[in-house]
């Protein structure tokens, strides 16, 4: 009787971990990675704009990717005005300084988001650990020895 | 009646079996397998979608590239990083940089770019084709699993009865054929390999009996019977030869057997001349060939009685060598011509065994008829080993004393030929 009950419980716990918590963790990590990417995009953009400012570039010639790694030369006669993606498919025309302000705000927000996701991930991991401990207790296994403290 | 008998036989042999399909393929297992295959198909479908996307993209790009040069420049938003654009325009609309791979780019015109892109498109098409074929296979597999699962669920049974049981005689005969073959071939191999190897040569010389081991091979038996015939002839010939051999032995140490032979061999020479009175050359040839065997005999006779037999055998195998020897001797030996039957044996052997020796014999104008008279078969077992002797012959002529030592270190050339002849 008892054994069957315990087995059932353990199976429920494992299903919870495998079917619920772990996918959650994976999703959270993927989300965070996306935000990391955004962070990189905006930091790159900020650095590029700063570069333009520093070198006081007024016209620009670049290569445009037409797709499938086929490039064509493009000419930008005026670099003063820049259209920055503000989300939801909208692009706003900025001057360099305006763009830099926006990017700073955006980066701040992204950093907050990253922190949020990191916390979420940590909590999911903690929950997984908790359930695993519960299973261990149900099985009446001895507690794992805590890993030795890392010495730096 | 017949059916009953067959059934009884099958039952007796325990061959007829009735197996419920479900036990072979449990329906849930089959369903699992079908599920797995379905998953695979899903993956392939995703892959296919991806490639199809590439294909359409490629087609669009071809369209774009072919249209871009129509105008001198195009107003566009130039991407600046991933999140920003500059208003700008495309210039040099007939110049494209195309990635060739590995970070190498080529500057191409619109037409050339289109060519490259169409080639890429073909590759994509072939990929699509292979993927589709793959998916067809998987679908067939999945349907098979589905059918199996449903059949197993319906409680189908598999009745298996081996057809072979109906005519056991065939089976047994087949197996019977096979079994005897193996021992035979093994015996033949065993019998042969030791003889052919130079190391065993000496031992074999002393003990002719060893030959018998190899006799079991069909072909070998055939050869052996022929050799036996020749041996008889040779024995007859040897009786005549004895005189000459004695002379030879004494002469060997003198380096030049020919000189000593001159006097003693006259009688035998007459024999040869009788057979072919006209061919002076023939006589010479015989003499040459005779000398070789003589020397050999002298050496071999010392070591063992059978040596002469062995020698002849070797001659057969390595007819080439002998011939060369005879040529060398030809200059010196004409006067010395000893009528040795061995030489003739050697020639006959060569004729029988291999095609190579024959032409050379002809050149030397040795008539086969003469050669055929002297029989030499003695070399049943010796063929492999014999080669060594013949090889030494030339050297022995020049340096008679050395020859005996040299004989041991015989190259395996003849052996290889021998092997090649064997099936």
């Amino acid at each position: 009787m008892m054994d069957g009950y315990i087995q059932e419980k353990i199976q429920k716990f494992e299903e919870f971990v495998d079917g619920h918590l772990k996918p959650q963790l994976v999703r959270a990590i993927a989300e965070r990675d996306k935000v990391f990417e955004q962070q990189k995009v905006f930091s790159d953009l900020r650095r590029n704009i700063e570069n333009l400012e520093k070198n006081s570039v007024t016209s620009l010639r670049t290569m445009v990717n037409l797709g499938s790694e086929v490039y064509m030369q493009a000419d930008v006669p005026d670099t003063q005005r820049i259209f920055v993606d503000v989300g939801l498919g909208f692009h706003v025309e900025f001057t360099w300084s305006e763009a830099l302000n926006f990017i700073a705000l955006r980066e701040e927000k992204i950093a907050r988001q990253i922190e949020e996701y990191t916390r979420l991930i940590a909590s999911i991991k903690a929950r997984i650990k908790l359930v695993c401990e519960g299973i261990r207790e149900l099985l009446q296994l001895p507690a794992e020895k805590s890993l030795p403290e890392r010495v730096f | 009646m017949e059916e009953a008998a067959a059934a009884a036989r099958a039952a007796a042999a325990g061959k007829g079996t009735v197996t419920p399909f479900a036990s072979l393929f449990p329906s849930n297992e089959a369903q699992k397998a079908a599920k797995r295959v379905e998953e695979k198909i899903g993956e392939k479908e995703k892959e296919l979608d991806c490639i199809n996307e590439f294909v359409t993209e490629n087609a669009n790009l071809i369209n774009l590239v072919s249209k871009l040069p129509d105008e001198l420049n195009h107003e566009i938003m130039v991407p600046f990083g991933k999140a920003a654009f500059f208003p700008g325009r495309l210039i040099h609309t007939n110049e494209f940089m195309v990635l060739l791979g590995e970070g190498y780019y080529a500057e191409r015109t619109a037409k050339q770019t289109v060519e490259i892109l169409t080639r890429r498109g073909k590759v994509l098409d072939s990929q699509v084709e292979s993927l589709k074929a793959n998916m067809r296979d998987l679908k067939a597999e999945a349907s098979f699993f589905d059918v199996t699962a449903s059949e197993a669920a319906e409680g189908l049974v598999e009745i298996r009865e081996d057809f072979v049981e109906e005519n056991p005689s065939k089976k047994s005969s087949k197996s019977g054929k096979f079994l005897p073959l193996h021992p035979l071939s093994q015996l033949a191999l065993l019998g042969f390999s030791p003889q052919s190897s130079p190391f065993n040569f000496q031992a074999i010389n002393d003990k002719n009996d060893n030959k018998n081991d190899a006799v079991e091979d069909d072909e070998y038996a055939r050869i052996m019977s022929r050799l036996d015939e020749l041996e008889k002839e040779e024995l007859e010939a040897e009786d005549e030869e004895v005189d000459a051999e004695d002379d030879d032995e004494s002469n060997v140490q003198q380096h030049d057997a020919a000189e000593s032979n001159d006097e003693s061999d006259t009688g035998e020479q007459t024999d040869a001349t009788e057979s072919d009175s006209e061919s002076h050359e023939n006589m010479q040839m015989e003499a040459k060939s005779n000398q070789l065997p003589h020397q050999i005999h002298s050496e071999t006779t010392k070591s063992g009685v059978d040596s002469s037999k062995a020698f002849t055998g070797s001659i057969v195998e390595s007819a080439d060598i002998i011939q060369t020897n005879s040529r060398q001797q030809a200059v010196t030996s004409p006067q010395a011509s000893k009528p040795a039957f061995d030489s003739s044996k050697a020639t006959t052997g060569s004729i029988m065994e291999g095609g190579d020796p024959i032409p050379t014999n002809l050149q030397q104008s040795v008539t086969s008829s003469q050669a055929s008279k002297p029989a030499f078969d003695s070399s049943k077992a010796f063929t492999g080993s014999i080669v060594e002797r013949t090889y030494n012959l030339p050297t022995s002529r020049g340096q008679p004393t050395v020859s005996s030592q040299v004989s041991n270190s015989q190259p395996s050339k003849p052996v290889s030929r021998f092997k090649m002849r064997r099936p």
Side-chain angles (χ1 to χ4, degrees):
Chain A
M1 273 295 284
M2 201 62 184
D3 277 357
Y5 175 74
I6 288 174
Q7 288 297 331
E8 207 176 297
K9 201 89 177 166
I10 288 171
Q11 196 171 347
K12 267 189 184 172
F13 280 10
E14 280 178 348
E15 271 173 15
F16 181 64
V17 170
D18 287 341
H20 199 77
L21 290 179
K22 282 191 176 171
Q24 244 185 350
L25 183 65
V26 170
R27 221 178 307 136
I29 289 175
E31 291 288 323
R32 195 178 57 165
D33 284 348
K34 264 188 215 163
V35 183
F36 271 131
E37 220 167 281
Q38 278 223 317
Q39 190 185 35
K40 188 175 177 301
V41 167
F42 277 99
S43 73
D44 280 352
L45 182 59
R46 184 169 49 83
R47 218 175 312 128
N48 279 332
I49 292 173
E50 281 167 1
N51 251 333
L52 291 180
E53 267 186 334
K54 201 162 61 185
N55 299 326
S56 58
V57 177
T58 54
S59 69
L60 190 67
R61 198 172 272 199
T62 70
M63 302 290 281
V64 179
N65 189 352
L66 303 176
S68 299
E69 304 300 313
V70 176
Y71 293 86
M72 183 180 270
Q73 291 180 52
D75 182 46
V76 179
D78 180 18
T79 58
Q80 296 299 315
R81 293 177 301 148
I82 186 170
F83 290 75
V84 179
D85 183 5
V86 295
L88 296 176
F90 287 98
H91 292 74
V92 178
E93 183 177 351
F94 286 133
T95 62
W96 285 349
S97 58
E98 283 168 348
L100 284 175
N101 278 338
F102 170 77
I103 289 166
L105 290 172
R106 190 67 193 260
E107 278 184 322
E108 203 178 302
K109 188 193 169 229
I110 286 171
R112 263 208 313 278
Q113 271 183 324
I114 287 172
E115 205 178 319
E116 226 169 84
Y117 275 118
T118 308
R119 216 174 285 148
L120 177 63
I121 288 166
S123 79
I124 293 171
K125 278 183 179 172
R127 259 183 277 172
I128 290 174
K129 186 101 179 170
L130 181 71
V131 179
C132 284
E133 283 294 301
I135 292 172
R136 185 189 62 73
E137 265 181 40
L138 282 175
L139 287 173
Q140 290 172 327
L141 292 174
E144 286 176 38
K145 283 173 190 166
S146 60
L147 291 172
E149 296 260 327
R150 274 182 236 177
V151 182
F152 291 101
Chain B
M1 282 291 287
E2 287 182 7
E3 287 178 6
R9 246 180 283 149
K15 291 292 179 178
T17 56
V18 177
T19 324
F21 224 55
S23 74
L24 287 178
F25 309 103
S27 68
N28 58 338
E29 288 296 321
Q31 275 167 358
K32 269 187 201 167
K35 214 186 216 175
R36 253 204 317 277
V37 175
E38 290 291 349
E39 279 171 16
K40 261 190 219 163
I41 291 176
E43 281 174 26
K44 293 284 176 192
E45 261 166 7
K46 270 184 199 164
E47 226 173 289
L48 187 64
D49 287 348
C50 188
I51 291 181
N52 275 331
E53 212 172 286
F54 288 154
V55 170
T56 57
E57 203 174 291
N58 200 55
N60 287 340
L61 188 60
I62 289 172
N63 202 15
L64 178 67
V65 167
S66 55
K67 270 185 186 170
L68 275 176
D70 290 351
E71 307 223 6
L72 204 56
N73 52 52
H74 299 264
E75 292 291 328
I76 58 158
M77 294 297 286
V78 181
F80 189 70
K82 274 184 182 167
F85 297 89
F86 285 120
R89 56 190 181 151
L90 286 175
I91 54 172
H92 303 300
T93 52
N94 200 21
E95 292 174 16
F96 296 86
M97 293 282 282
V98 186
L99 178 70
L100 302 177
E102 300 295 323
Y104 286 93
Y105 289 85
E107 205 169 319
R108 313 300 283 166
T109 65
K111 268 191 183 176
Q112 289 165 331
T113 306
V114 168
E115 283 170 18
I116 290 175
L117 291 175
T118 47
R119 282 198 290 277
R120 279 187 196 170
K122 273 177 193 164
V123 173
L124 286 173
D125 285 344
S126 71
Q127 276 179 7
V128 168
E129 282 308 309
S130 69
L131 258 182
K132 277 182 180 167
N134 217 326
M135 281 174 64
R136 272 197 297 276
D137 288 350
L138 282 174
K139 272 174 186 163
E141 208 176 314
S143 69
F144 168 76
F145 279 130
D146 281 341
V147 170
T148 310
S150 62
E151 281 175 350
E154 287 166 9
L156 223 67
V157 296
E158 181 185 7
I159 302 171
R160 180 175 292 184
E161 189 176 317
D162 283 338
F163 175 69
V164 190
E165 286 306 306
E166 294 292 336
N167 42 1
S169 60
K170 280 184 187 175
K171 208 180 182 182
S172 65
S173 67
K174 277 183 185 174
S175 62
K177 277 184 184 175
F178 270 164
L179 286 174
L181 273 181
H182 286 290
L184 263 185
S185 58
Q186 282 181 353
L187 275 176
L189 284 175
L190 288 174
F192 259 113
S193 58
Q195 290 179 355
S196 58
S197 72
F199 289 93
N200 293 341
F201 175 63
Q202 301 286 358
I204 294 169
N205 241 341
D206 295 343
K207 304 174 183 178
N208 287 340
D209 296 350
N210 288 352
K211 322 161 191 175
N212 296 337
D213 296 347
V215 180
E216 294 176 22
D217 190 287
D218 285 357
E219 207 207 350
Y220 194 68
R222 195 166 46 77
I223 294 171
M224 289 306 285
S225 63
R226 175 63 177 142
L227 287 176
D228 280 329
E229 286 179 24
L230 293 173
E231 192 172 9
K232 282 175 190 169
E233 294 181 35
E234 191 197 4
L235 285 175
E236 296 173 2
E238 266 186 12
D239 293 342
E240 299 178 13
E241 252 184 303
V242 175
D243 301 349
E245 285 189 355
D246 293 344
D247 294 349
D248 287 356
E249 286 187 30
S250 59
N251 292 337
V252 172
Q253 292 174 353
Q254 295 177 359
H255 296 236
D256 210 346
E259 292 181 0
S260 63
N261 289 340
D262 292 350
E263 301 167 1
S264 63
D265 293 338
T266 52
E268 291 183 358
Q269 276 188 353
T270 55
D271 293 347
T273 51
E274 286 178 4
S275 62
D276 198 3
S277 59
E278 291 180 1
S279 65
H280 183 70
E281 292 179 358
N282 290 344
M283 287 175 56
Q284 290 180 353
M285 282 299 298
E286 285 185 352
K288 300 167 193 174
S289 57
N290 291 342
Q291 280 187 352
L292 289 175
H294 282 293
Q295 287 181 351
I296 296 163
H297 279 292
S298 62
E299 297 170 1
T300 53
T301 49
K302 292 173 186 175
S303 60
V305 178
D306 294 336
S307 62
S308 61
K309 296 177 183 178
F311 188 67
T312 54
S314 66
I315 295 166
V316 177
E317 295 292 342
S318 62
D320 301 342
I321 300 167
I322 296 169
Q323 292 169 356
T324 56
N325 293 339
S326 61
R327 287 179 201 157
Q328 294 174 354
Q329 289 180 350
V331 182
T332 57
S333 60
Q335 303 142 356
S337 65
K338 291 182 185 175
F341 284 95
D342 294 352
S343 65
S344 59
K345 297 172 188 176
T347 53
T348 55
S350 64
I351 294 166
M352 288 170 45
E353 297 281 346
D356 299 355
I358 296 173
T360 52
N361 291 339
L362 292 176
Q363 290 176 358
Q364 293 175 352
S365 75
V366 177
T367 57
S368 63
S369 62
Q370 296 172 353
S372 62
K373 282 182 181 177
F376 82 13
D377 38 349
S378 38
S379 49
K380 303 173 183 178
F382 293 123
T383 52
S385 60
I386 298 155
V387 177
E388 296 180 359
R389 297 279 174 176
T390 53
Y391 195 76
N392 290 339
L393 291 179
T395 55
S396 66
R397 281 218 186 106
Q399 310 163 344
T401 54
V402 179
S403 63
S404 62
Q405 299 167 353
V406 178
S407 63
N408 289 342
S409 64
Q410 281 292 332
S412 60
K413 185 183 176 185
V415 175
S416 64
R417 290 180 76 198
F418 181 70
K419 281 180 181 172
M420 284 177 62
R421 268 175 213 150
R422 292 188 54 77

